[in-house]
């Protein structure tokens, strides 16, 4: 007689039927849960609760007139998105974000590549310099923002002092509608170039010596070797560096929040600082959720475009 | 089989541990009280500044002197409170008492959504009450909505004119200005330039992220930000005149650096790069250790013939869903008692939140308090009835001021800002 199945898993070592008649079918489909899924469950549950659910909830909120204060949140369809279309503050923030991204990404990746090529030999000095250039990456962006705010201060900032001492005008970088965004961009490049440098350093180590030696044998000088051998072989790393730099640039918040709070006169306001203000100062959570979804779609679109443009072979 | 069971058991334990980690970490801290008659009041406050120690010491005093009530104060940044408190109160998990914001208008959003309980019984002549007449009129007016009092002042402050005595002496000015005309001319005299570089500013005027300074110039000239019914008064000729005067002084004479946040203005005065600043009592705690040789004077008198200044108070409110309202009223009344107000004055420099303590003996220990107290009858709140204060201040008023500081046409800028203000407060444009 076959013992009845009692748990999630059927008995695999139980007594085999010994009678002449085949064992009666229970009529229920026996099922089992692979242990692997149980091991996945804790992480999956956390992801569902803290990632998937908030994302879905934010989409839901973006379709409602949602306020932190109110207990009722009437459905408004796409009204928040229509409001955004006519909101000059949104377009201003989008423009600032686009300018920041358009300058910081090539700046960060270009300088990172230059540093990696210059410091690729494993000498003691190079190792030290790599650490120096990587230091801003591991420092808190908010802390660095405060440091730069002091450095650029028109009264007590050392940078202002140096510029004035060589006869240049006293520019209040972070108070100037002309210079605030360039100053934020410069700090952004300074902060992130080290990250790209490390990506390229790792990729440079992976270029086979034989390839470079073959190029030398063929009579290629340093510059042709860089353009025709090194750079093509860094393509995948460059793609990674560019995509990551683009995503982080489009999400710019803490540096601006600390350095300028989006000012002066919204000249450094980014999509995320505006989103923060709308959501957590004006308490218009539905509208803030709509902005966040537009930002998400923009990042998705730009990332897909980059992956498409950088793709060299189908296997990439 | 055994191996499979062990794997399953391990996975189940992991899942249970993870779920336990995600679930409640313990009983809610807002329990109405324990079985021995002790009531615990939870209190969210935003006093993270230099005055935090004073507030904490006062809470300890309250707990030591009230055997049946314990106040459990949690101090957190203002922006954190702003993000969490509305949702917490709406869902019944909020604290009994809270300071929602340092802008008085914000509480109206809570009131209109039924999140706050009125505290009318605080006023009276009985036990655990304070006479209605002792609250500063501006406070009482700002905290009263539809005839009900909804908040008690956690503190009260006015602004005075700080001036650097050394810089005044160097410029040959013997006394602080007493009229707005003198303030304007002194600001010009005290501005020191070297070519196009300003070495010393006559005054530091912040235009954002601080207690409002610009309205003082407007009020002193007889203008206003809002009319009595809350609509825009930005196109009032006296408002336009006052803003034009100060915008010209900034554009032509560089009397202040443009684009200063509150802390930037404080830094300028503290670093002795600015000769004057209009600021509250909290600034003494910064300027005295910086060895600035400063004096304090009432805000100069303008065209209206009296001094006028900006008031500041932090509203302390009672959660509508609090089961401990009686205990909260006891705490509010104790907070507004004379000894507590004197302690706050002595240790944090704030003037008392009541008007009947002019000759209170304990106040003599706080040297600057008398001056700030003397400004109380002339103190006004900036945008006191605007529920969406942050939106109006950050997106409408401050940008307009910042624009005129940079040379924008005053009349058209204020007119445009006025239209936006009317739209934000539901007034006809």
């Amino acid at each position: 007689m076959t013992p009845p199945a009692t748990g999630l898993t059927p008995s695999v070592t139980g007594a085999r039927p010994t009678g002449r008649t085949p064992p009666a079918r229970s009529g229920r489909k026996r099922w089992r849960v692979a242990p692997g899924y149980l091991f996945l469950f804790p992480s999956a549950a956390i992801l569902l609760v803290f990632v998937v659910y908030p994302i879905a909830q934010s989409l839901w909120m973006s379709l409602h007139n949602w306020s932190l204060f109110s207990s009722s949140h009437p459905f408004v369809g796409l009204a928040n998105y229509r409001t955004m279309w006519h909101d000059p503050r949104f377009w201003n923030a989008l423009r600032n974000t686009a300018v920041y991204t358009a300058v910081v990404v090539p700046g960060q990746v270009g300088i990172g590549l230059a540093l990696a090529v210059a410091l690729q030999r494993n000498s003691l000095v190079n190792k030290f310099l790599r650490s120096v250039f990587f230091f801003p990456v591991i420092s808190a962006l908010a802390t660095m923002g405060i440091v730069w705010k002091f450095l650029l201060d028109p009264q007590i900032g050392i940078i202002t002092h140096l510029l004035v001492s060589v006869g240049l005008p006293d520019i209040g970088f972070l108070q100037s509608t002309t210079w605030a965004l360039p100053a934020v961009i410069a700090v952004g490049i300074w902060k992130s170039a080290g990250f790209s440098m490390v990506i390229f350093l790792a990729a440079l180590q992976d270029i086979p010596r034989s390839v470079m030696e073959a190029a030398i044998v063929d009579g290629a000088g340093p510059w042709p070797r860089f353009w025709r051998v090194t750079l093509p072989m860094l393509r995948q790393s460059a793609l990674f560096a560019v995509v990551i730099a683009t995503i982080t640039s489009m999400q710019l918040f803490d540096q601006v929040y600390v350095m300028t709070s989006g000012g002066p006169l919204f000249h450094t306001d980014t999509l995320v600082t505006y989103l923060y203000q709308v959501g957590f100062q004006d308490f218009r959570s539905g509208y803030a959720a709509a902005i966040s979804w537009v930002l998400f779609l923009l990042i998705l679109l730009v990332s897909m475009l980059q992956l498409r443009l950088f793709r060299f072979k189908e296997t990439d | 089989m055994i191996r499979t069971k062990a794997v399953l058991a391990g996975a189940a334990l992991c899942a249970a541990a993870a779920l336990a980690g995600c679930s409640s970490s313990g009983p809610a801290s807002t329990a109405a009280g324990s079985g021995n008659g002790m009531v615990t009041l939870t209190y969210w406050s935003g006093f993270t500044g230099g005055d935090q120690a004073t507030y904490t010491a006062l809470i300890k005093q309250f707990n030591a002197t009230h055997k049946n009530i314990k106040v459990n104060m949690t101090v957190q940044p203002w922006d954190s409170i702003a993000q969490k408190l509305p949702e917490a109160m709406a869902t019944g998990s909020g604290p009994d008492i809270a300071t929602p914001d340092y802008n008085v208008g914000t509480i109206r959003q809570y009131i209109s959504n039924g999140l706050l309980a009125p505290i009318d019984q605080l006023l009276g002549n009985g036990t655990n009450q304070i006479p209605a007449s002792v609250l500063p009129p501006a406070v009482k007016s700002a905290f009263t909505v539809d005839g009900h009092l909804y908040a008690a002042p956690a503190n009260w402050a006015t602004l005075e004119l700080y001036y650097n005595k050394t810089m005044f002496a160097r410029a040959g000015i013997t006394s602080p200005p007493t009229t707005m005309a003198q303030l304007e001319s002194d600001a010009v005299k005290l501005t020191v330039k070297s070519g196009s570089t300003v070495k010393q500013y006559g005054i530091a005027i912040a235009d954002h992220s601080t207690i409002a300074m610009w309205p003082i110039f407007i009020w002193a000239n007889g203008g206003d930000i809002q009319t009595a019914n809350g609509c825009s008064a930005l196109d009032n000729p006296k408002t336009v005149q006052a803003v034009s005067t100060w915008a010209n002084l900034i554009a032509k004479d560089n009397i202040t650096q443009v684009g200063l946040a509150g802390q930037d203005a404080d830094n300028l005065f503290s670093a002795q790069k600015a000769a004057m600043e209009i600021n509250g009592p909290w600034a003494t705690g910064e300027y005295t250790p910086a060895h600035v040789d400063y004096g304090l004077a009432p805000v100069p008198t303008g065209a209206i013939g009296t001094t006028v200044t900006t008031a500041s108070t932090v509203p302390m409110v009672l959660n509508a869903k609090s089961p401990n309202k009686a205990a909260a009223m006891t705490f509010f009344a104790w907070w507004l008692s004379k000894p507590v107000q004197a302690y706050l004055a002595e240790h944090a420099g704030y003037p008392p939140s009541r008007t009947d303590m002019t000759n209170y003996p304990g106040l003599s220990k706080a040297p600057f308090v008398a001056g700030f107290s003397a400004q109380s009858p002339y103190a006004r709140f900036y945008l006191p009835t605007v529920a969406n204060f942050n939106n109006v201040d950050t997106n409408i008023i401050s940008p307009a001021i910042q624009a005129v500081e940079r040379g924008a046409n005053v009349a058209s800028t204020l007119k445009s800002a006025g239209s936006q203000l009317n739209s934000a407060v539901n007034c006809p444009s």
Side-chain angles (χ1 to χ4, degrees):
Chain A
M1 186 178 173
T2 305
T6 53
L8 292 176
T9 54
S11 170
V12 290
T13 57
R16 294 173 66 85
T18 53
R20 291 180 185 175
T21 52
R25 296 177 68 87
S26 68
R28 278 192 313 180
K29 185 182 179 183
R30 292 180 181 178
W31 61 286
R32 59 175 287 155
V33 176
Y37 287 114
L38 286 177
F39 279 110
L40 278 178
F41 176 73
S43 300
I46 290 170
L47 278 174
L48 276 172
V49 172
F50 294 107
V51 179
V52 177
Y53 170 69
I55 289 173
Q57 174 73 10
S58 72
L59 180 61
W60 181 248
M61 287 168 72
S62 77
L63 304 174
H64 293 73
N65 184 10
W66 201 292
S67 164
L68 281 181
F69 282 97
S70 182
S71 52
S72 67
H73 311 293
F75 180 78
V76 294
L78 297 175
N80 283 324
Y81 294 91
R82 281 196 294 273
T83 302
M84 203 184 310
W85 184 259
H86 299 289
D87 181 0
R89 282 285 306 278
F90 167 78
W91 290 107
N92 171 66
L94 179 60
R95 186 172 56 247
N96 290 337
T97 306
V99 169
Y100 179 89
T101 305
V103 180
V104 166
V105 173
Q108 167 190 340
V109 174
I111 292 173
L113 176 61
L115 289 173
V117 171
L119 303 175
Q120 63 180 313
R121 276 187 57 236
N122 278 324
S123 68
L124 203 61
V125 175
N126 282 359
K127 284 180 181 173
F128 172 74
L129 288 175
R130 286 178 202 167
S131 303
V132 169
F133 288 118
F134 193 66
F135 178 75
V137 180
I138 57 169
S139 308
L141 198 48
T143 310
M144 289 299 109
I146 293 170
V147 169
W148 276 99
K149 192 176 175 185
F150 277 102
L151 288 173
L152 295 169
D153 187 282
Q155 296 303 320
I156 57 174
I158 192 166
I159 291 178
T160 311
H161 177 74
L162 289 172
L163 292 176
V164 170
S165 66
V166 297
L168 292 171
D170 179 5
I171 300 170
F173 283 97
L174 301 181
Q175 289 77 33
S176 160
T177 50
T178 307
W179 289 101
L181 187 57
V184 169
I185 286 171
V187 174
I189 293 174
W190 170 85
K191 162 79 181 162
S192 312
F195 176 76
S196 298
M197 176 194 73
V198 167
I199 302 294
F200 287 122
L201 272 173
L204 284 168
Q205 311 297 323
D206 282 346
I207 296 178
R209 288 181 63 86
S210 58
V211 175
M212 207 56 78
E213 285 165 358
I216 293 169
V217 169
D218 287 345
W223 199 239
R225 281 207 303 276
F226 175 76
W227 276 112
R228 296 176 187 278
V229 179
T230 305
L231 211 51
M233 297 197 82
L234 292 177
R235 185 170 39 81
Q236 284 185 325
S237 302
L239 173 62
F240 176 75
V242 167
V243 170
I244 294 295
T246 304
I247 292 172
T248 52
S249 294
M250 292 180 78
Q251 293 177 330
L252 177 67
F253 173 73
D254 37 9
Q255 181 194 338
V256 166
Y257 187 73
V258 169
M259 289 180 74
T260 62
S261 300
L265 282 170
F266 313 123
H267 277 68
T268 59
D269 207 14
T270 66
L271 279 178
V272 184
T273 55
Y274 183 48
L275 183 160
Y276 173 80
Q277 192 211 314
V278 169
F280 296 109
Q281 292 181 337
D282 304 346
F283 304 112
R284 292 184 289 160
S285 308
Y287 189 39
I291 297 172
S292 73
W293 266 90
V294 168
L295 176 62
F296 168 72
L297 292 174
L298 280 173
I299 291 175
L300 185 69
L301 188 72
V302 172
S303 301
M304 286 172 63
L305 207 64
Q306 287 173 330
L307 288 169
R308 182 78 196 169
L309 290 174
F310 272 79
R311 196 168 64 177
F312 186 64
K313 294 181 290 189
E314 285 303 318
T315 51
D316 283 351
Chain B
M1 174 79 174
I2 291 170
R3 191 174 171 187
T4 306
K5 279 184 176 174
V7 166
L8 287 171
L13 274 173
C14 287
L19 286 175
C22 296
S23 65
S24 170
S25 58
S29 59
T30 52
S34 58
N36 59 5
M38 169 71 86
V39 173
T40 299
L41 288 173
T42 49
Y43 178 14
W44 290 5
S45 84
F47 302 121
T48 55
D51 48 6
Q52 181 179 347
T54 305
Y55 290 103
T56 306
L58 281 170
I59 296 296
K60 276 186 184 169
Q61 277 185 31
F62 178 86
N63 290 339
T65 53
H66 293 75
K67 297 302 174 196
N68 296 324
I69 307 173
K70 182 187 174 192
V71 174
N72 188 5
M73 182 172 76
T74 307
V75 180
Q76 45 197 313
W78 288 110
D79 56 351
S80 178
I81 290 181
Q83 291 163 26
K84 293 193 303 188
L85 190 61
E87 201 78 47
M89 280 189 165
T91 55
S93 59
D96 298 292
I97 303 168
T99 54
D101 197 10
Y102 49 83
N103 296 306
V104 294
T106 307
I107 62 168
R108 289 171 187 253
Q109 279 181 305
Y110 287 79
I111 295 167
S112 63
N113 287 286
L115 301 179
L116 304 186
I119 57 169
D120 298 311
Q121 63 269 39
L122 178 65
L123 303 180
N125 296 313
T127 310
N128 287 336
Q129 288 187 314
I130 60 160
S133 59
V134 307
L135 276 184
V139 168
K140 201 175 164 194
S141 165
F143 291 170
T144 302
V145 178
D146 296 332
H148 295 289
L149 184 71
Y150 278 96
N155 58 29
W156 163 253
T158 61
L159 305 190
E160 278 204 283
L161 180 72
Y162 286 73
Y163 64 98
N164 186 310
K165 292 178 180 173
T166 308
M167 291 178 181
F168 267 60
R170 206 184 295 144
I173 305 171
T174 53
S175 61
T178 55
T179 66
M180 277 290 163
Q182 287 174 6
L183 179 66
E184 292 160 17
S185 63
D186 286 355
V188 175
K189 275 186 209 165
L190 288 158
T191 301
V192 180
K193 296 183 202 170
S194 170
S196 64
T197 303
V198 180
K199 296 286 184 190
Q200 173 186 304
Y201 291 101
I203 186 168
I205 306 172
D207 58 28
H208 67 282
S209 304
T210 188
I211 183 168
M213 298 177 189
W214 271 83
I216 293 173
F217 306 135
I218 295 169
W219 292 331
N221 197 47
D224 213 330
I225 311 285
Q226 291 178 282
T227 59
N229 61 1
C231 297
S232 169
L234 289 171
D235 56 353
N236 178 325
K238 290 179 179 174
T239 304
V240 175
Q241 184 187 41
V243 174
S244 299
T245 300
W246 285 91
N248 277 337
L249 288 169
I250 293 168
K252 290 181 183 167
D253 299 300
N254 305 113
I255 59 163
T256 185
Q257 188 184 316
V258 172
L260 295 174
Q263 188 59 52
D264 300 330
D266 296 353
N267 290 345
L268 273 187
F269 190 83
S270 188
Q272 308 205 43
K273 294 277 189 179
M276 295 185 282
E277 189 190 10
I278 297 174
N279 210 339
W282 48 82
T284 59
E286 185 176 342
Y287 302 153
T288 304
H291 305 293
V292 180
D293 181 21
Y294 67 91
L296 281 159
V299 171
T301 303
I304 58 171
T306 62
T307 180
V308 63
T309 189
T310 309
S312 164
T313 186
V314 171
M316 189 163 52
V317 299
L318 175 58
N319 187 342
K321 293 181 178 169
S322 167
N324 306 315
K325 292 190 175 70
M329 298 310 299
T330 302
F331 176 71
F332 286 165
W334 178 85
W335 190 264
L336 291 171
S337 65
K338 288 182 180 178
V340 171
Q341 291 300 309
Y343 187 93
L344 201 57
E346 183 187 345
H347 292 86
Y350 287 100
S353 299
R354 45 194 295 165
T355 56
D356 60 345
M357 290 179 63
T358 311
N359 299 316
Y360 193 77
L363 289 185
S364 57
K365 294 177 190 169
F368 299 116
V369 165
F372 288 106
S373 283
Q375 294 266 271
S376 294
Y378 310 102
R380 299 171 61 172
F381 285 112
Y382 167 59
L383 304 175
T385 58
V386 176
N388 48 350
F389 176 94
N390 280 312
N391 180 29
V392 170
D393 178 55
T394 309
N395 297 329
I396 301 171
I397 309 293
S398 288
I401 295 298
Q402 290 174 359
V404 298
E405 281 179 340
R406 290 171 170 84
N409 180 277
V410 174
S412 62
T413 303
L414 292 183
K415 189 177 178 187
S416 167
S419 297
Q420 294 176 61
L421 174 58
N422 281 335
S423 172
V425 297
N426 298 319
C427 282
S429 291

